[in-house]
Amino acid sequence: MTRRLAREIIFKMLFAFESGNNTPQEALIIAYEKPIEEKDREYILKVCEGVIKNLETIDRIIEKYTIDWKLERLLLTDKTLLRLAIYEMLFCEDIPESVSINEAVELAKVYGDMKSPKFINGVLGAIARDLDNIKKSL
């Protein structure tokens, strides 16, 4: 399985988790009905659970960088994409920040509205510029 597909599944899982109060395992069944190899399943669940575990920290970062936007006002798709990308930027050292940003923008083109890609890119770009300071403050 490609990282792109895994990321899309994780996005759908986080969306299902947020919108339907599903567990990560239930969300995986909702997000992807085909059989998944064990190593891919482990990676997907690890990242999904990592986002959920660090949700408070991630959401504080989102609120700081989405000036004049409350978390509740964000589209659920945008908020979910931001959460996933920020988690990758903070905790997945094997993924370059530019890849996390680009992948979030590409998913925003598919799942968000017309303004989502630009919004996601702007927020994540600002976070990337301050990433060292953000990591030091954790």
Side-chain angles (χ1 to χ4, degrees):
M1 173 178 295
T2 65
R3 275 276 171 101
R4 178 169 280 197
L5 178 56
R7 196 174 276 110
E8 186 171 6
I9 293 168
I10 296 163
F11 161 74
K12 289 178 180 180
M13 289 172 63
L14 291 169
F15 191 93
F17 173 81
E18 177 86 8
S19 63
N21 249 355
N22 298 289
T23 67
Q25 290 78 9
E26 292 167 337
L28 178 55
I29 293 166
I30 293 167
Y32 200 71
E33 297 174 358
K34 297 177 185 174
I36 299 175
E37 288 185 33
E38 189 57 32
K39 69 178 178 70
D40 295 327
R41 180 183 178 79
E42 287 175 15
Y43 173 77
I44 288 167
L45 286 171
K46 177 184 154 214
V47 173
C48 185
E49 290 168 354
V51 172
I52 293 166
K53 177 182 167 197
N54 293 284
L55 211 50
E56 189 176 309
T57 300
I58 293 168
D59 284 353
R60 274 198 319 269
I61 294 168
I62 292 172
E63 285 187 324
K64 180 178 178 183
Y65 287 88
T66 53
I67 301 164
D68 296 330
W69 281 88
K70 293 281 186 205
L71 207 57
E72 307 82 46
R73 287 188 55 213
L74 296 178
L75 291 174
L76 183 54
T77 52
D78 291 356
K79 181 169 46 174
T80 304
L81 289 170
L82 287 170
R83 286 173 169 169
L84 176 54
I86 292 167
Y87 174 81
E88 287 183 351
M89 293 165 76
L90 291 175
F91 301 105
C92 299
E93 294 184 12
D94 63 322
I95 302 173
E97 294 137 29
S98 60
V99 171
S100 296
I101 294 169
N102 184 58
E103 291 294 322
V105 169
E106 290 303 313
L107 286 170
K109 290 176 183 176
V110 176
Y111 294 102
D113 69 12
M114 288 176 39
K115 297 178 183 178
S116 293
K118 185 176 179 180
F119 175 73
I120 297 285
N121 189 55
V123 172
L124 293 176
I127 291 169
R129 285 189 291 279
D130 291 346
L131 197 56
D132 287 338
N133 292 329
I134 294 169
K135 286 183 177 182
K136 287 177 188 174
S137 71
L138 297 179

